[in-house]
Amino acid sequence: MKKYSIIFFCLISFNVFAQTNTEIIQNGVASYNAMMDFSEKSVTGQISNENIYRLKDMCDSTVALLKPVFANGNTDEVKIAKYFTINAKYEYGFKLGAAAKQNQSYLALKEIQYDITALTPEDFPLNYQYFGSNYVIKWSNFGSTQAEFYAGMGELAYNMATFQRLRNSF
């Protein structure tokens, strides 16, 4: 599996330089959508290690696809890339928790804590093109995810008896 991931990343890196930021974002969003489709098919409490590994690979692919936008995108393109990067990492961290991998979940969610909690209604709407269609992400599309993040971190802290660690992290 890792061999295929390495080959995939190499092919992506050669192809990315010939793409526009719009095309890069489209590919990153397509990867994110595939990740979410796969994730939704994973039943909470019955998530296999194989599915967790696959979800991690899909998350890493999404992040890698969007990474070039951070270096050369305009402000709006960077915001879109950041939004999908945060959400891909959040979904992976959330599924780790659902698979009872609490330490791994805490570490994955802790990695995005600043970025996910920094978003406010003023950061929205976010507009992007996806294969010829225009899309708008509103605060109402994201606010519940941020609330879920806070609740999830609280639940992890409770389950791991790390109230002090959580309190000190905010």
Side-chain angles (χ1 to χ4, degrees):
M1 186 71 150
K2 283 199 178 266
K3 180 172 127 180
Y4 295 113
S5 294
I6 292 170
I7 292 170
F8 178 71
F9 286 126
C10 288
L11 290 173
I12 290 171
S13 65
F14 290 122
N15 192 26
V16 163
F17 296 107
Q19 295 179 321
T20 66
N21 285 332
T22 299
E23 292 169 328
I24 293 169
I25 289 169
Q26 288 176 159
N27 291 331
V29 172
S31 178
Y32 172 80
N33 289 341
M35 176 187 169
M36 293 303 292
D37 288 344
F38 177 76
S39 181
E40 289 173 9
K41 293 176 186 171
S42 301
V43 179
T44 300
Q46 300 176 359
I47 303 169
S48 69
N49 284 336
E50 182 179 313
N51 284 351
I52 290 292
Y53 297 138
R54 183 166 176 208
L55 198 61
K56 174 67 170 149
D57 284 344
M58 295 174 96
C59 176
D60 290 347
S61 293
T62 299
V63 171
L65 283 166
L66 292 168
K67 189 175 182 176
V69 176
F70 291 99
N72 60 26
N74 65 36
T75 302
D76 291 335
E77 291 167 340
V78 170
K79 286 180 181 180
I80 289 295
K82 189 173 188 176
Y83 175 85
F84 283 103
T85 296
I86 290 168
N87 280 283
K89 289 181 177 185
Y90 171 73
E91 184 65 20
Y92 172 66
F94 179 82
K95 284 297 183 176
L96 283 169
K101 297 182 181 302
Q102 294 179 2
N103 272 341
Q104 289 173 286
S105 178
Y106 178 83
L107 293 173
L109 294 175
K110 181 75 175 152
E111 179 184 331
I112 62 165
Q113 178 180 319
Y114 175 79
D115 290 329
I116 199 168
T117 60
L119 289 171
T120 67
E122 290 75 32
D123 294 313
F124 294 85
L126 301 173
N127 302 293
Y128 68 100
Q129 289 184 348
Y130 184 66
F131 298 108
S133 296
N134 293 318
Y135 287 86
V136 178
I137 303 168
K138 300 176 184 173
W139 172 255
S140 61
N141 303 119
F142 174 75
S144 60
T145 301
Q146 189 183 66
E148 194 177 81
F149 170 82
Y150 283 118
M153 287 295 275
E155 182 179 354
L156 284 169
Y158 177 80
N159 290 341
M160 297 169 58
T162 57
F163 301 113
Q164 189 66 32
R165 181 166 70 177
L166 181 68
R167 189 179 72 178
N168 291 339
S169 69
F170 284 101

